[in-house]
């Protein structure tokens, strides 16, 4: 099977010759055949390369076809050339010639390599060769500019496409992972490998497929391994950067990466006040890559982020291999990561909201707020992996902490037909201290001789501990009663501890217990699965109301409780699948399959509380089966198509908070009310998916469509009551008749010609819904849709210049009997980057944003950024960059939100125009000192 899949990759290189000159006015044709004449064998997939005889510059190469024949259609005429033919286990052969029209070199005989010459390296390595089931590209055969990185090499390889988002495909097949010396490189982030490792450190790039345990070609994965030269397998690289600009803007970061054959260590940190907020150590790594080729839309201040942020972040990553030569079936590795981020944020909002207050009436709300937050997030994680042939297990442990404080001041006015109904103000202070510990262990066995052959067990234990202190001062007054003013000061102390156990197990194939000669049908498989989740929660809340007169704090018994809760969710299943396969070696593979999952669900909830109404005990037993039909068509060198239909039944259960949550009236404009009478909801869903991927190297094209539609009975819906003063109570109710349909699609294509590369991606999504709810006792049907369209176009002329265009728009509409809620948000972005010289580069991008909301005026603004950078020193290690951001000074953060019964529109404070100059140093050393 692995050899069969390899033909897809081999076909891409056999069917084309690369690096042919663009000028075809003085070219000719060269053809011939490679044979082992002594043994009368045609040398399938032998490497043929043509060089300039004078300086050995590579002109073109290809792999011989199934008869050992080759043909180069466009070879420069009138110059002295050299053809070099090579094949594993044979001595290389070369021919000197000149082209005038068509040249037939006839049969070129290769002789089996003698023992005395085995192990002796060829002075001029072949550009590409087949080594078993692996296609190998030799880096030294490709000429690129000095200081080039692996990415510059990959874009020159036949059939290889490096997409604008970092995804790599080989002849249309997505690359699952990019390895370095057979293992993940600094966490497995592709960009860290291809944008940092110099091309001169690479010996070869290997492309191969890993067959799946299922044995189906559609489940296989394509991988790329970057094999470093023996003396370049240790190295150090990183970045130190600092920038300062107008309005006291600053941006600094530093990273240090060190690696050898067995270990890797990363230290990274960054600080700024230009809204560059990292959520993970990978975000900091991405900001520290050496290569700046192409248009990057990631390493930029976030002008769309609301508020002003001042993050300081850092982290570390360490991996170690306990064996010297890890591989797919031989892993003994430990990996640890640590990440910390401290951030301060100021968010100022001024928004207006239109709310449905009845079947034919609307209220308006104006809300102004100032929010100040500060906090520290930490993540620590360690994982050990062990794999040997058919057995694999792992152990991991993690700790997440989030300690933060916030202070928010808010003013609100509620009106009806421009008549003031009520006003309110609130000052809220919160201190949170959250901790989460997690332990996880897993075991997998897929040894064919065992029964069952495939066993997978995974267990996770997580423990959450949350401590919160919240103080709220709220004032509410009525315009109709000038004497009514309600002032509340309320203090909350909450402690919540939750332990979650998750056990997932899978055993199969049970059919293998049945002797093959006695099975009534072929292609049948079966397995047993079970998913168990057990949650134990202890929660206590002490609520005290403070007197305005005396300042005394009195316990509020309605909002003070101690509660213990247990939730059990178990889903056992028996899955049976019948597959019909039709294969023709080296041509195609087709599979038809039908599967049935006989699954049931047991769901149990129980609470014990100091408040009597919160004591509940509920259990549910539900059948949740699903059936699916699949079709796969794999055409070697042509395309791969997948089709799937499925029908599934499932249930959703009301949460404890929805059933018996505490009812707090501190904010009269939003009172959340529980409903102990809620029932479970039942969903019936039909799913469809279709995927098409071209496997032809000159027609990189793929598209996929995913669709689902369903009905929900007893849907847990909103029940809203808004009185004449604007006070709002939001409850829950079961309602029948909820309908929905979702469709998403993506189309991608890429074209490579000569030194140019063009990418096009189109995304679309559509969600149709019919949702019932209650508003002031009236049953309201909301019919509407949410839609999105997106297009990106990316063009590269090698490393010389790049262009990037992106357009996206989102629409939302919800229609009731007498009202409509509609809004849209869209943008168009154009970015250009060019290298004027090898050291001097220019970049600029402009984004036009537009927002529309029914009942509000449209809002359009543009953000234009530009930068110029120059690199110094022989290794381009020192960079100075001048940046001008938001040149038009138009940036605004538009709040544009919508739901079934309300629309919100407003603004928030946001990053605006500034200028900055920055200096960056990229230390780099690959290999040991001589």
């Amino acid at each position: 099977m692995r050899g069969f899949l390899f033909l897809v990759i081999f076909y891409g290189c056999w069917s084309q010759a690369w690096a042919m000159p663009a000028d075809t006015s003085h070219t000719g044709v060269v053809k011939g055949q490679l044979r082992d004449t002594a043994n009368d064998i045609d040398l399938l997939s032998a490497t043929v390369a043509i060089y300039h005889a004078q300086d050995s510059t590579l002109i073109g190469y290809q792999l011989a076809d199934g008869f050992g024949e080759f043909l180069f259609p466009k070879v420069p005429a009138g110059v002295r050339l050299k053809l070099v033919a090579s094949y594993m286990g044979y001595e290389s052969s070369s021919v000197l010639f000149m082209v005038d029209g068509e040249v037939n070199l006839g049969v070129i005989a290769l002789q089996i390599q003698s023992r005395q010459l085995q192990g002796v390296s060829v002075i001029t390595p072949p550009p590409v060769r087949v080594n078993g089931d692996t296609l190998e590209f030799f880096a030294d055969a490709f000429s690129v500019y000095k200081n080039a990185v692996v990415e510059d090499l990959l874009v020159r390889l036949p059939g290889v496409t490096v997409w604008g988002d970092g995804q790599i495909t080989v002849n249309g097949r997505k690359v699952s992972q990019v390895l370095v010396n057979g293992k993940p490189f600094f966490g497995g982030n592709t960009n860290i490998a291809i944008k940092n490792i110099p091309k001169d450190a690479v010996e070869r790039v290997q492309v191969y497929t890993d067959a799946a345990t299922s044995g189906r070609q559609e489940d296989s994965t394509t991988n790329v391994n970057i094999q470093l030269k023996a003396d370049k397998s240790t190295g150090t690289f990183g970045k130190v950067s600092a920038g300062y600009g107008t309005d006291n803007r600053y941006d600094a970061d530093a990273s240090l990466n060190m690696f050898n054959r067995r270990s890797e260590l990363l230290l990274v940190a960054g600080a700024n006040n230009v809204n560059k907020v990292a959520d993970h150590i990978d975000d900091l790594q991405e900001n520290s890559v050496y290569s700046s080729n192409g248009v990057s839309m990631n390493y930029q201040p976030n002008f769309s982020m609301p508020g002003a942020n001042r993050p300081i972040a850092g982290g570390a990553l360490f991996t170690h291999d306990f064996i010297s030569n890890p591989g797919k079936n031989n892993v003994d590795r430990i990996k640890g990561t640590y990440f910390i981020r401290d951030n301060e944020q100021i968010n100022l909002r001024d928004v207006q909201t239109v709310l449905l207050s009845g079947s034919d009436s609307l209220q308006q709300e104006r809300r102004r707020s100032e929010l100040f937050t500060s906090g520290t997030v930490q993540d620590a994680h360690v994982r050990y992996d062990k794999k040997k042939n058919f057995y694999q297990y792992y152990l991991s442990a993690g700790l997440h902490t989030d300690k933060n404080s916030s202070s928010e001041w808010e003013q609100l006015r509620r009106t009806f037909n421009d008549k003031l109904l009520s006003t309110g103000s609130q000052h809220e202070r919160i201190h949170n201290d959250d901790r989460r510990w997690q332990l996880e262990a897993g075991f997998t066995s897929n040894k064919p001789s065992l029964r069952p052959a495939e066993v997978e067990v995974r267990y996770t234990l997580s423990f959450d501990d949350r401590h919160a202190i919240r103080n709220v001062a709220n004032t509410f007054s009525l315009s109709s009663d000038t004497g009514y003013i309600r002032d509340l000061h309320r203090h909350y102390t909450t402690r919540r501890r939750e332990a979650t156990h998750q056990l997932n197990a899978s055993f199969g194939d049970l059919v293998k217990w049945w002797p093959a000669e006695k099975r009534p049908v072929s292609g049948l498989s079966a397995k047993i699965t079970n998913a168990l989740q057990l949650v134990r929660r202890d929660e206590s809340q002490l609520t005290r109301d403070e007197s305005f007169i005396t300042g005394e704090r009195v316990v509020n018994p309605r909002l003070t409780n101690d509660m213990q809760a247990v939730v059990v969710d178990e889903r056992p299943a028996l899955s049976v699948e019948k597959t019909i396969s039709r294969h023709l070696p080296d041509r195609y593979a087709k599979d038809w399959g039908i599967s049935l999952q006989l699954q049931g669900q047991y769901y149990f909830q129980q609470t014990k509380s100091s408040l009597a109404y919160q004591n509940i005990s509920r259990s549910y037993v539900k059948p949740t089966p699903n059936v699916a039909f699949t079709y796969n068509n794999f055409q070697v060198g042509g395309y791969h198509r997948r089709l799937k239909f499925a029908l599934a039944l499932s249930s959703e259960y009301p949460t404890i908070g929805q059933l018996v949550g505490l009812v707090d009236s501190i904010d009269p404009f939003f009172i959340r009310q529980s409903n102990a009478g809620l029932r479970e909801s039942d969903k019936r869903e039909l799913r469809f998916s279709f995927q098409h991927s071209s496997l032809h190297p000159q027609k990189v094209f793929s598209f996929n469509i995913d669709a689902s539609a369903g009905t929900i009975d007893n849907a847990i819906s909103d029940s809203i009551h808004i009185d004449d003063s604007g006070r709002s109570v939001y409850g829950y109710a079961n309602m029948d008749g909820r309908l929905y349909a979702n469709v998403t699609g993506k189309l991608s294509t890429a074209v490579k010609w000569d030194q140019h590369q063009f990418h096009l991606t189109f995304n679309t999504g559509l969600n149709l819904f019919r949702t019932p709810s209650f508003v002031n006792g009236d049953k309201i049907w909301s019919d509407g849709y949410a839609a999105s369209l997106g297009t990106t176009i990316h063009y590269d002329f090698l490393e010389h210049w790049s262009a990037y265009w992106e357009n996206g728009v989102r629409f939302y509409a919800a229609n009731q009997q007498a009202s409509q809620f509609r809004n849209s948000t869209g943008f168009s972005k154009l970015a250009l980057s060019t290298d004027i010289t090898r050291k001097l580069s220019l970049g600029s991008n402009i984004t036009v944003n537009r927002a529309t909301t029914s009942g509000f005026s449209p809002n359009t603004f543009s953000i234009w950024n530009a930068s110029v950078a120059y690199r110094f020193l022989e290794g381009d290690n020192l960079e100075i960059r001048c940046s001008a951001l938001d040149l038009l000074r138009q940036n605004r953060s538009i709040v544009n939100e919508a739901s079934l019964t309300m629309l919100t529109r407003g603004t928030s404070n946001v990053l605006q125009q500034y200028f900055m100059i920055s200096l960056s140093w990229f230390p780099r050393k690959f290999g040991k000192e001589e």
Side-chain angles (χ1 to χ4, degrees), residues 495 538-542 560-564 608-611 614-615 662:
R495 185 70 181 270
D538 294 299
E539 184 173 337
S540 65
Q541 179 169 299
L542 172 62
T560 298
N561 75 331
D562 290 290
M563 184 174 68
Q564 295 80 43
K608 295 180 180 181
S609 173
S610 57
L611 298 176
Q614 287 191 312
N615 292 316
L662 299 176

Side-chain angles (χ1 to χ4, degrees), residues 342-602:
D342 185 89
N343 189 28
E344 296 180 359
Q345 184 189 60
I346 301 175
N347 195 342
L348 311 177
R349 282 169 58 108
D350 185 355
V351 299
Q352 299 179 65
T353 301
V354 178
L355 306 96
L356 187 68
S357 57
S359 60
D360 57 355
S361 62
L362 299 172
Q363 289 187 8
Q364 297 80 34
E365 179 181 279
R366 178 74 178 271
R367 190 182 294 258
R368 295 178 178 177
S369 63
E370 297 179 2
L371 174 63
F372 303 87
T373 62
S374 63
T376 302
V377 175
Q378 297 184 77
D379 272 302
H381 187 265
V382 62
R383 173 169 171 145
Y384 173 73
D385 285 275
K386 175 72 174 181
K387 185 175 184 180
K388 187 69 174 179
N389 297 327
F390 303 105
Y391 301 98
Q392 177 181 3
Y393 66 85
Y394 69 90
L395 299 169
S396 70
L399 172 63
H400 172 85
T401 67
D402 186 352
K403 191 172 184 178
N404 60 78
S405 300
S406 65
S407 177
E408 182 176 21
W409 175 84
E410 190 173 61
Q411 281 188 329
L412 185 145
R413 292 166 56 89
R414 186 68 68 87
T415 61
F416 177 72
N417 290 336
D418 296 327
K419 179 184 177 181
L420 181 64
L421 302 177
S422 56
T423 62
S425 65
Q426 180 168 294
H427 184 205
E428 182 177 29
R429 291 170 296 167
I430 303 176
H431 301 276
N432 289 319
D433 188 357
D434 299 342
R435 299 173 186 271
R436 179 181 178 88
W437 293 267
Q438 182 169 300
L439 297 173
E440 186 173 341
F443 171 78
T444 302
S445 170
N446 58 3
K447 190 173 183 179
S449 61
L450 291 180
R451 296 180 180 179
E454 299 175 14
V455 178
E456 183 176 356
V457 180
R458 183 175 71 254
Y459 171 74
T460 303
L461 168 63
S462 58
F463 183 75
D464 294 90
D465 186 1
R466 181 178 186 184
H467 186 207
I469 299 175
R470 178 173 173 239
N471 299 313
V472 182
N474 184 280
T475 301
F476 175 74
S477 61
L478 296 175
S479 61
S480 59
D481 184 356
T482 56
Y484 178 85
I485 299 178
R486 192 207 71 169
D487 287 315
L488 276 181
H489 278 194
R490 191 162 283 173
H491 304 267
Y492 308 82
T493 302
T494 304
R495 185 70 181 270
R496 178 174 174 174
R497 297 178 178 179
E498 183 174 290
T500 303
H501 303 263
Q502 289 181 295
L503 179 63
N504 294 275
S506 173
F507 302 90
D509 176 7
L510 302 181
V511 174
K512 291 185 178 180
W513 289 4
W514 200 345
E517 64 276 6
K518 295 183 179 181
R519 296 175 193 168
V521 293
S522 61
L524 190 67
S525 64
K527 67 178 180 180
I528 296 175
T529 63
N530 189 61
L532 172 64
Q533 183 181 72
L534 173 63
V535 180
R536 169 64 187 265
R537 182 190 309 152
D538 294 299
E539 184 173 337
S540 65
Q541 179 169 299
L542 172 62
T543 306
R544 293 172 295 172
D545 292 331
E546 180 179 327
S547 171
F548 273 92
I549 300 174
T550 65
E552 181 184 2
R553 297 183 180 181
V554 180
V555 173
N556 186 323
R558 296 182 299 103
L559 298 175
T560 298
N561 75 331
D562 290 290
M563 184 174 68
Q564 295 80 43
V566 175
V567 178
V568 179
D569 185 359
E570 184 168 28
R571 307 184 188 193
L574 171 64
S575 299
V576 181
E577 183 175 5
K578 164 63 178 175
T579 303
I580 301 174
S581 301
R582 295 292 183 268
H583 293 183
L584 181 61
D586 303 346
R587 295 289 300 277
Y588 68 84
K590 296 181 180 181
D591 298 297
W592 295 263
I594 184 169
S595 62
L596 175 64
Q597 186 179 53
L598 301 174
Q599 180 176 266
Q601 183 178 16
Y602 170 71

